[in-house]
Amino acid sequence: MTGKITVIGSGMMGGAIIKSLIKGNIPPASITAVDIQAEKLKEFEALGVKTSTNNIAATATADIVFLIVKPGDVAKVLKEISREIKGKLLISVAATVPLSYLNKNSPLETRIVRIMPNLGAMVQAAYTAYCCTENVTAEDKETVKGLLNLMGICDEVDEKYMDAITAVSGSGPGYMSIIVEAIEYAGLKVGLPRNIALNCAAQTVIGAGKLVTNLHEEPARIKDMTTTPGGTTIEAIYQIEQSQIRPAMIKAIEEATKKSQTIREKLSMV
């Protein structure tokens, strides 16, 4: 039993989480969507979700609270709902904000989980990493895992990996959109209609991902399965490897990881 869930911050990610919970058969009436902009809440009202512009009132009735606000607003919101989250399960979706900072700004009795999902939650295809404070129970973890699996797939990780995961997965849909667009444009160049080129590109990326996650195939194995002597795939791979795409992707993710570390370190000094 998950009990009552409050989602503070019902923007893009908050909305994705709410809709994933509903699609996963969490009763809409057990969810409260909170946002300071009442206009954003209308779509959730239409889904049968309770709505509020009052963080304190919405948190008071909750068993589980998702905190989805900007890193710079975390301390302010936690101070506001301090009494209401005491002894409850708090799931923070605030990027780069470490458990130590969340702990420092919450009552000791609060059981805190830090998660890093990505935009795939909008279609229940997210990868979400999560880590927990020591007082989070085994039962809490099962509850969290159940909720996160409604958004896609998840792994519990050591917090030291969260900056890298933010760079690889949290920002990942941005990288993949470039890949999909590049394949789409290539399709256009060789004469495909735009809608065919885009669907072909997007579904190919989805299929490659599912070969890894569903069938546990290694990427190198997928490449070998597709490649035949003197065929089209080996010709294309030869051209791709000339572009230095691997070093470019590695460098990009290294820099994104450093940026996440910098933001986290600045926040820790506050």
Side-chain angles (χ1 to χ4, degrees):
M1 291 292 290
T2 57
K4 295 181 179 179
I5 300 171
T6 286
V7 179
I8 298 178
S10 300
M12 188 177 296
M13 183 55 68
I17 289 174
I18 290 169
K19 291 169 185 175
S20 291
L21 296 179
I22 293 171
K23 288 181 180 179
N25 294 319
I26 301 294
S30 69
I31 303 170
T32 300
V34 187
D35 203 278
I36 57 174
Q37 299 181 46
E39 189 67 25
K40 287 185 178 181
L41 300 171
K42 290 183 178 179
E43 67 169 311
F44 303 114
E45 291 174 358
L47 296 174
V49 173
K50 295 178 181 178
T51 62
S52 176
T53 57
N54 188 314
N55 291 336
I56 296 173
T59 303
T61 58
D63 300 298
I64 299 171
V65 178
F66 279 88
L67 182 65
I68 314 174
V69 299
K70 295 176 181 178
D73 293 332
V74 168
K76 179 181 69 176
V77 175
L78 288 177
K79 183 178 179 180
E80 181 185 11
I81 61 174
S82 180
R83 289 184 181 180
E84 288 70 29
I85 58 173
K86 187 175 181 179
K88 294 181 179 179
L89 186 61
L90 176 73
I91 302 175
S92 171
V93 197
T96 74
V97 179
L99 289 173
S100 58
Y101 186 86
L102 296 165
N103 240 339
K104 183 175 70 173
N105 289 281
S106 303
L108 290 176
E109 298 87 348
T110 308
R111 306 183 318 278
I112 303 173
V113 179
R114 174 188 174 190
I115 72 172
M116 184 66 245
N118 64 26
L119 207 56
M122 295 179 74
V123 288
Q124 296 73 57
Y127 174 78
T128 305
Y130 67 98
C131 54
C132 312
T133 52
E134 292 183 0
N135 62 343
V136 171
T137 67
E139 183 179 358
D140 289 333
K141 289 184 181 183
E142 285 302 309
T143 296
V144 169
K145 186 176 179 180
L147 293 173
L148 299 185
N149 279 337
L150 298 179
M151 297 158 50
I153 63 174
C154 67
D155 285 315
E156 183 178 4
V157 301
D158 190 301
E159 190 176 25
K160 68 182 180 181
Y161 297 123
M162 289 297 266
D163 288 319
I165 289 168
T166 298
V168 172
S169 175
S171 301
Y175 318 146
M176 290 302 101
S177 67
I178 294 173
I179 299 297
V180 170
E181 187 178 56
I183 298 173
E184 176 199 5
Y185 283 8
L188 294 175
K189 191 172 190 302
V190 295
L192 290 179
R194 183 174 294 275
N195 66 316
I196 298 297
L198 181 56
N199 286 340
C200 182
Q203 190 61 39
T204 299
V205 171
I206 292 169
K210 286 190 172 182
L211 285 170
V212 175
T213 59
N214 293 13
L215 300 184
H216 307 293
E217 293 286 0
E218 290 291 329
R221 167 68 176 153
I222 296 169
K223 183 177 64 175
D224 288 345
M225 289 164 64
T226 313
T227 306
T228 55
T232 60
T233 305
I234 189 60
E235 181 62 34
I237 288 173
Y238 175 77
Q239 297 298 330
I240 290 169
E241 294 290 7
Q242 300 303 304
S243 73
Q244 299 295 303
I245 189 171
R246 291 175 193 260
M249 188 65 75
I250 291 169
K251 182 64 175 175
I253 290 173
E254 283 181 334
E255 292 303 315
T257 301
K258 290 176 184 176
K259 183 67 173 181
S260 179
Q261 291 168 341
T262 299
I263 295 170
R264 171 176 51 79
E265 288 165 2
K266 285 182 179 178
L267 188 64
S268 297
M269 291 188 292
V270 175

